[in-house]
Amino acid sequence: MLPSEKFHDECGVVAIYSNPEAEKLAYLGLHALQHRGQESAGIVTSNGMTLNMHKAMGLVADIFTEEELAKLHGTLAIGHTRYSTAGDSSLLNAQPIMVQSNKGMMALAHNGNLVNASELRGRMESQGSIFQTTSDTEIIVHLIAFSKEQTLPEAMADALRRVEGAFSLVMISPDRIFAARDPRGFRPLAMGRISAQPGQKQDTIVFASETCAFDLIGATYEREVKPGELIVVGPEGVTSRFYATPMAQSSCIFEHVYFSRPDSRVFGRAVQESRENLGCQLAREAPADADIVVPVPDSGVTAAMGYAAESGIPLRFGLIRNHYVGRTFIEPRQAVRDFGVKLKLNPVRSLLEGKRVVLIDDSIVRGTTSRKIVRMIRSAGAKEVHMRISCPPTVSPCFYGVDTPSKKELIAANNTVEQIREFIGADSLSYLSLEGMKKACGDGEKTTYCTACYTGKYPTNWVDVEEILPVTAVKS
């Protein structure tokens, strides 16, 4: 979809301990996590003595050539692929962030957003700290260096107790890998293992934002890193400690609705199962008298499968996505209506003509893209278009690592469902209920979810009041 009309997760992280090809496994892990961020990527490796880093703007496969990976040869590695939420989109803010500090050489990569970043940064700058980036990740590095604790694990635990918000992070020192999650468990982080091959002394321990990275590198999923847990993997083996007292769990439900790949296991639950359940529940709550179910690719595909199965209405891929659209393109001199959407999606007229269509997507953000898609389906000859959304209306921005617009830009924050239906031009519009979404994603089974973007009720006290003030309705 168009960059401005879909939510973006901030990033994905991966870490490898004890493997002769750690840099290649980190590269492959990032490749599997590319959907979590397409602006920049970086890898830091250790050969046991020193750290080496390469990071750049762009996609993983373009950044890490064989020549670049050869320079990174090591047995430990961490990697990061980024979509900016806090901080500008520039190489300066690309991660991992590597420093030589009073605690030794280290590099850190982080998924999430610190809601008390501005306060901490201001305090440290007043004490003489000099920041090289505008990323909130650098704040954690400074806190580790500031800590009076003598060892790196203790200093990291001390630093993590001082930050508020969402973070799943990995860190590397010359001989250790660290992995941690915030006490509320906002963002996912899984731990896996690759059995030692002949000639290797020990198993390879791996961490990644999603388990789809494990599948590509041949790792076996072991468990989630627990909220508030700090895991250190070093010569002494795997050690675990809880650096903070347990808090009410607030795992991001949008990981299951949209962000994570369907083939991943996130928060201990299969994403494919959640998405199909969302579609089934949507069909129960919002049935439609129609001929075909059509997903908006790729975000609506799995939910559409569930909707079709539950409703008995056949699933048809009436919209085809072009997967080869680059970041830049040349528009024709003669203006083409809805050109941006047409670059990425094209209707299949033979499937849509004369049909009553149930159109399935995961969200409506500003409404402009949904409006163009509805118009496109009508122009292909559809008799009726019934829009169904596999989550509740998004009424509030996220402060925990998701690039959501401010409240004034969210169409559902300022309009009724009927007003939105009128704006996008659908014959009917229905959203999944909050309870239906939580039920479909197994809320309360393995985790409880943060639903602040649907309710405006935030699990932390630190929010930007200006961002959540409502405004007047949008005009069509």
Side-chain angles (χ1 to χ4, degrees):
M1 297 306 306
L2 294 177
S4 61
E5 265 299 298
K6 279 293 173 188
F7 298 127
H8 298 274
D9 200 19
E10 186 182 12
C11 58
V13 297
V14 64
I16 313 291
Y17 180 84
S18 182
N19 192 282
E21 294 186 300
E23 73 285 351
K24 290 181 180 174
L25 295 187
Y27 160 75
L28 291 170
L30 290 183
H31 198 276
L33 299 174
Q34 184 73 85
H35 60 287
R36 297 184 73 87
Q38 298 92 45
E39 290 195 349
S40 64
I43 291 174
V44 173
T45 60
S46 171
N47 56 15
M49 301 291 290
T50 188
L51 302 184
N52 293 296
M53 177 173 70
H54 178 63
K55 57 185 179 180
M57 303 300 289
L59 299 176
V60 173
D62 297 329
I63 295 168
F64 297 103
T65 60
E66 283 194 39
E67 291 76 19
E68 290 295 346
L69 284 173
K71 296 176 193 172
L72 291 174
H73 185 65
T75 56
L76 281 66
I78 65 169
H80 186 274
T81 186
R82 182 172 193 264
Y83 185 94
S84 62
T85 55
D88 300 328
S89 173
S90 67
L91 182 57
L92 200 63
N93 286 313
Q95 296 184 34
I97 292 175
M98 187 169 78
V99 297
Q100 176 70 55
S101 75
N102 57 0
K103 303 294 190 300
M105 208 170 190
M106 59 181 171
L108 189 145
H110 160 230
N111 174 25
N113 216 38
L114 306 182
V115 292
N116 63 338
S118 296
E119 186 210 4
L120 288 170
R121 188 185 185 100
R123 192 187 307 161
M124 286 189 280
E125 285 178 334
S126 69
Q127 294 170 354
S129 289
I130 298 171
F131 286 83
Q132 296 183 335
T133 76
T134 57
S135 168
D136 56 0
T137 308
E138 192 179 1
I139 290 165
I140 301 173
V141 175
H142 278 262
L143 287 172
I144 292 170
F146 262 116
S147 176
K148 292 181 171 60
E149 299 292 346
Q150 297 303 304
T151 67
L152 193 51
E154 290 296 332
M156 188 176 184
D158 183 35
L160 296 181
R161 281 191 287 269
R162 298 173 191 272
V163 293
E164 176 82 4
F167 52 87
S168 285
L169 57 86
V170 291
M171 190 171 82
I172 187 172
S173 68
D175 64 343
R176 283 174 174 78
I177 290 288
F178 304 76
R181 281 178 77 199
D182 68 79
R184 290 184 175 84
F186 281 109
R187 299 274 143 232
L189 189 61
M191 176 178 169
R193 184 183 298 265
I194 303 171
S195 298
Q197 301 299 305
Q200 285 180 242
K201 293 180 181 177
Q202 59 190 116
D203 292 349
T204 298
I205 303 298
V206 299
F207 298 92
S209 295
E210 293 181 38
T211 60
C212 61
F214 296 168
D215 298 334
L216 186 57
I217 64 176
T220 303
Y221 168 78
E222 287 205 339
R223 66 178 181 90
E224 301 290 303
V225 177
K226 297 184 177 78
E229 184 180 22
L230 170 61
I231 297 176
V232 182
V233 191
E236 67 283 351
V238 180
T239 59
S240 167
R241 57 171 293 182
F242 287 88
Y243 64 85
T245 52
M247 292 183 176
Q249 295 308 281
S250 303
S251 297
C252 175
I253 200 164
F254 214 60
E255 291 282 355
H256 278 273
V257 173
Y258 171 68
F259 288 138
S260 300
R261 267 178 36 175
D263 51 331
S264 285
R265 189 175 186 83
V266 168
F267 306 133
R269 180 181 174 84
V271 176
Q272 176 82 12
E273 180 185 354
S274 293
R275 298 238 173 108
E276 287 197 25
N277 286 351
L278 288 164
C280 289
Q281 186 66 23
L282 184 60
R284 294 184 202 111
E285 292 185 13
D289 192 8
D291 304 308
I292 57 173
V293 173
V294 174
V296 175
D298 291 325
S299 53
V301 170
T302 318
M305 290 166 61
Y307 193 100
E310 180 68 22
S311 66
I313 303 170
L315 176 71
R316 293 291 182 267
F317 288 90
L319 286 169
I320 302 301
R321 183 180 173 194
N322 179 3
H323 289 265
Y324 304 100
V325 177
R327 285 179 169 265
T328 59
F329 51 81
I330 300 166
E331 284 201 49
R333 188 168 293 174
Q334 183 180 350
V336 177
R337 193 181 199 193
D338 304 335
F339 180 73
V341 170
K342 286 179 178 176
L343 264 182
K344 301 190 177 186
L345 295 175
N346 200 43
V348 183
R349 183 173 289 273
S350 61
L351 289 177
L352 299 171
E353 205 159 21
K355 298 292 197 302
R356 297 167 300 166
V357 175
V358 183
L359 186 64
I360 308 286
D361 205 355
D362 68 288
S363 60
I364 299 177
V365 185
R366 293 174 177 86
T368 51
T369 295
S370 297
R371 186 183 194 181
K372 290 169 184 175
I373 292 171
V374 169
R375 194 156 58 205
M376 185 188 290
I377 288 177
R378 284 202 194 281
S379 69
K383 195 193 302 182
E384 297 173 10
V385 183
H386 302 277
M387 191 95 185
R388 297 292 182 266
I389 305 298
S390 61
C391 66
T394 305
V395 297
S396 287
C398 175
F399 299 98
Y400 309 117
V402 180
D403 179 41
T404 49
S406 61
K407 192 146 190 163
K408 63 176 180 276
E409 297 175 284
L410 291 168
I411 191 169
N414 308 291
N415 295 269
T416 64
V417 172
E418 175 56 25
Q419 286 171 322
I420 299 169
R421 182 204 65 75
E422 193 175 332
F423 177 76
I424 66 173
D427 291 285
S428 70
L429 169 65
S430 293
Y431 291 84
L432 185 61
S433 69
L434 180 66
E435 286 310 309
M437 177 181 67
K438 289 163 75 170
K439 178 183 175 184
C441 294
D443 183 68
E445 294 174 13
K446 288 184 165 61
T447 188
T448 52
Y449 293 105
C450 174
T451 56
C453 51
Y454 308 117
T455 63
K457 296 174 183 173
Y458 294 94
T460 63
N461 294 324
W462 302 80
V463 295
D464 186 342
V465 175
E466 291 296 315
E467 289 284 300
I468 60 175
L469 291 175
V471 293
T472 55
V474 298
K475 298 289 188 292
S476 58

